[in-house]
Amino acid sequence: MSKNLHIKTFGCQMNERDSEIIEQLLAQEGYVATMEPERADVILINTCSIREKAEQKVFSLLGALRTEKQKKPQMLLGVTGCVAQQEGMQISERMPHVDLIVGTQQIYRLPEMLDRLQQGVTSREIATDMEASFTIPPFQKLLTASSAIPVAAAQGCKRFVTIMQGCDNFCSYCVVPNTRGREISRPMTDILEEVEILAAQGVREITLLGQNVNSYGTTNPVAAQQVNFPQLLREVAAIKGVRRLRFTTSHPKDLTEELMRCFAEIDNLCPHFHLPVQSGSNAVLRRMNRKYTVETYLDKVERLRRYRPDIALATDIIVGFPGETDDDFQATMDLLNQVRFHGSFSFKYSDRPHTRSTEFDDKVPEEVKSIRLTTFQERQDTICFKRNCEYIGKEVEIMIEAKNATGIKGRTSSNHIVHCPDAPAPLLPGDLVMARIVHAGNHSLKGKIENQHE
């Protein structure tokens, strides 16, 4: 008999992919995904702890679900992901109604843990062990879960594929090495097999995922079969049916000339690159332990644009890092004005557990961080609008992602959302069409479909 499963995902694309893996694992045990938590037999909260606000949302949601659990005591409530990894015992103490706490490297054990709970063998399951070695079979099982388990009908026209996990960079503000473990690359044969399965099911766009995809194959080259990231990109791009290829996230220090050339030489590699800079001040970058300078970052941006002049660049910015002065922040604004990013994710710095920056002096006052963040975001919005206006009058290829009564929503290869209100009726998600851009907003474009070439 099938059981209803509801997963609420917080955080980044890595978490979204982990939720997909969990669904695939539990589908083999008869679980069926539901969007309605009140109908669920199992509710899993897949969490992110990169920022304090995301962690606070998790605890708020768990508190709200206490009433649901009281009304339906047979329902199982679990926490997975980075907050579970980082705050396992605190969750256990603060939230006694939580039945299941599973860390980032233990999600492959979910079927057996749920079975023990449902059979009454145990009253609570906690698994937050970090594996001592990243080459042992359990971690490999986690990374290969999606290729070892038959994939059901593809969910939409685009999917994430994990190529590596963990990080060895140890940025002073970042929890990832503590919550995700050390860096490990997934074998290329497993990656290619998964992409081939997805492409055969009709998936047209693949995004390769990792905390630092640029360093794929360098930490454990035996597992990656002596293949680096540019070589992997070329292999994936050559798979029949892959019309668009993306990847995220990258570290500037590992951006090589060979990878830059890929944007000029691989036809289906999308001209969109998320390259986090974090700050425009060398002093701040040193305290962050980012291992590059503003000058080397700008040099790589210039070379990228020589290889692919139409590339759309996005970035991450942290404002108010400990010790950030007015001059440091102005350097970040100067970098924004020079690069003119097509988009950015910007946040106020917050202390995260077990990171070096929590011990730094000269914390920036909250009100100063808020002012700086607003200043940055307002300028970024202005640049986004001007960047988007550059597309007006151009004919661009869009992939249809959704359709409703008012028209369709598609996305360009440069990652711009395009709304087309007067779209032809036969169009479906995954279709590729040409649209002429007729209007630009801060965060999206409006287009008119000129012709349907598929």
Side-chain angles (χ1 to χ4, degrees):
M1 188 175 80
S2 65
K3 295 157 279 190
N4 288 332
L5 168 70
H6 176 78
I7 301 179
K8 172 68 174 177
T9 305
F10 288 89
C12 63
Q13 293 168 320
M14 289 294 294
N15 286 54
E16 292 180 39
R17 181 62 190 125
D18 285 350
S19 292
E20 290 179 350
I21 291 174
I22 290 171
E23 284 191 19
Q24 290 172 359
L25 285 167
L26 296 183
Q28 306 307 301
E29 307 299 319
Y31 287 88
V32 177
T34 176
M35 297 296 292
E36 304 168 24
E38 63 275 7
R39 295 183 57 224
D41 301 295
V42 175
I43 295 179
L44 297 177
I45 314 300
N46 191 18
T47 61
C48 174
S49 62
I50 291 292
R51 281 169 286 278
E52 185 179 18
K53 187 175 181 180
E55 187 174 323
Q56 291 171 346
K57 287 182 179 179
V58 170
F59 280 103
S60 177
L61 177 58
L62 287 174
L65 286 170
R66 183 183 283 109
T67 303
E68 194 69 28
K69 177 72 172 174
Q70 290 171 343
K71 291 190 294 186
K72 192 177 176 181
Q74 74 277 14
M75 178 193 77
L76 295 178
L77 175 61
V79 183
T80 65
C82 293
V83 175
Q85 184 68 55
Q86 182 175 280
E87 306 290 348
M89 293 310 298
Q90 185 181 0
I91 295 171
S92 178
E93 293 168 2
R94 287 179 57 182
M95 304 287 174
H97 60 292
V98 172
D99 304 290
L100 187 70
I101 301 170
V102 185
T104 56
Q105 295 187 14
Q106 302 292 334
I107 63 173
Y108 62 89
R109 294 177 55 193
L110 272 167
E112 63 187 71
M113 296 169 75
L114 286 170
D115 185 62
R116 284 197 296 269
L117 287 167
Q118 288 163 341
Q119 297 298 324
V121 176
T122 59
S123 60
R124 173 174 278 189
E125 290 279 339
I126 301 176
T128 57
D129 294 342
M130 295 285 280
E131 308 295 359
S133 167
F134 55 56
T135 60
I136 66 174
F139 202 0
Q140 293 292 342
K141 183 176 179 181
L142 169 60
L143 285 174
T144 59
S146 56
S147 57
I149 296 172
V151 182
Q155 300 171 357
C157 56
K158 57 183 188 176
R159 290 290 291 274
F160 299 125
V161 173
T162 302
I163 68 167
M164 64 190 305
Q165 187 160 299
C167 185
D168 289 349
N169 287 311
F170 291 94
C171 298
S172 62
Y173 54 85
C174 185
V175 298
V176 168
N178 295 319
T179 60
R180 290 277 182 178
R182 300 299 296 272
E183 193 172 284
I184 175 174
S185 297
R186 184 179 173 193
M188 185 181 72
T189 52
D190 290 346
I191 297 168
L192 298 182
E193 179 186 2
E194 182 175 350
V195 175
E196 287 169 353
I197 291 171
L198 292 172
Q201 293 176 338
V203 173
R204 319 202 78 188
E205 179 176 302
I206 296 292
T207 300
L208 303 180
L209 287 183
Q211 265 78 32
N212 179 18
V213 292
N214 297 12
S215 62
Y216 173 83
T218 60
T219 303
N220 54 325
V222 174
Q225 301 169 338
Q226 306 292 334
V227 176
N228 64 21
F229 184 56
Q231 291 168 325
L232 175 67
L233 274 179
R234 294 179 188 277
E235 292 288 337
V236 174
I239 292 174
K240 183 179 180 182
V242 177
R243 297 300 304 270
R244 287 184 172 181
L245 178 59
R246 303 182 190 273
F247 59 85
T248 194
T249 293
S250 296
H251 195 294
K253 75 177 178 61
D254 297 312
L255 174 56
T256 64
E257 202 78 21
E258 184 182 5
L259 179 53
M260 294 182 195
R261 286 200 306 271
C262 289
F263 283 101
E265 297 171 357
I266 301 176
D267 290 340
N268 52 352
L269 179 60
C270 293
H272 172 252
F273 195 6
H274 190 82
L275 191 63
V277 66
Q278 305 300 358
S279 174
S281 162
N282 283 330
V284 173
L285 290 176
R286 282 192 297 273
R287 289 195 293 272
M288 289 180 168
N289 193 35
R290 289 293 286 174
K291 303 182 181 73
Y292 57 83
T293 66
V294 173
E295 290 75 20
T296 58
Y297 184 91
L298 291 173
D299 177 66
K300 290 186 178 186
V301 167
E302 182 182 353
R303 283 186 283 153
L304 267 170
R305 286 174 168 165
R306 286 204 299 265
Y307 281 112
R308 190 68 192 256
D310 63 338
I311 196 166
L313 292 177
T315 198
D316 291 342
I317 293 288
I318 297 173
V319 302
F321 191 78
E324 182 187 73
T325 64
D326 289 341
D327 287 344
D328 291 329
F329 176 67
Q330 184 57 51
T332 297
M333 295 300 296
D334 292 343
L335 183 142
L336 171 63
N337 288 320
Q338 182 172 350
V339 179
R340 299 181 67 242
F341 295 104
H342 288 71
S344 65
F345 295 102
S346 52
F347 310 93
K348 293 186 289 185
Y349 168 82
S350 60
D351 284 339
R352 307 309 301 128
H354 314 301
T355 60
R356 287 195 295 118
S357 61
T358 61
E359 302 173 1
F360 289 178
D361 296 328
D362 301 326
K363 295 291 171 62
V364 178
E366 194 64 30
E367 59 271 21
V368 174
K369 289 192 287 187
S370 296
I371 292 170
R372 289 176 181 174
L373 182 63
T374 298
T375 300
F376 180 89
Q377 291 179 339
E378 287 178 350
R379 179 57 183 154
Q380 178 67 81
D381 282 346
T382 299
I383 291 172
C384 282
F385 176 69
K386 291 181 178 179
R387 281 292 198 187
N388 287 350
C389 286
E390 295 170 3
Y391 290 89
I392 294 176
K394 293 183 178 179
E395 191 176 50
V396 297
E397 181 189 75
I398 63 172
M399 179 179 287
I400 308 303
E401 293 187 352
K403 186 176 180 181
N404 55 40
T406 60
I408 60 100
K409 182 185 81 169
R411 193 177 299 266
T412 67
S413 59
S414 59
N415 208 40
H416 287 81
I417 293 173
V418 181
H419 297 280
C420 299
D422 301 317
L427 291 177
L428 297 171
D431 286 344
L432 293 163
V433 297
M434 300 302 295
R436 186 169 298 280
I437 304 304
V438 297
H439 176 78
N442 279 355
H443 305 294
S444 65
L445 306 170
K446 184 180 290 186
K448 181 176 178 58
I449 294 176
E450 298 284 307
N451 61 74
Q452 184 175 345
H453 63 275
E454 287 199 354

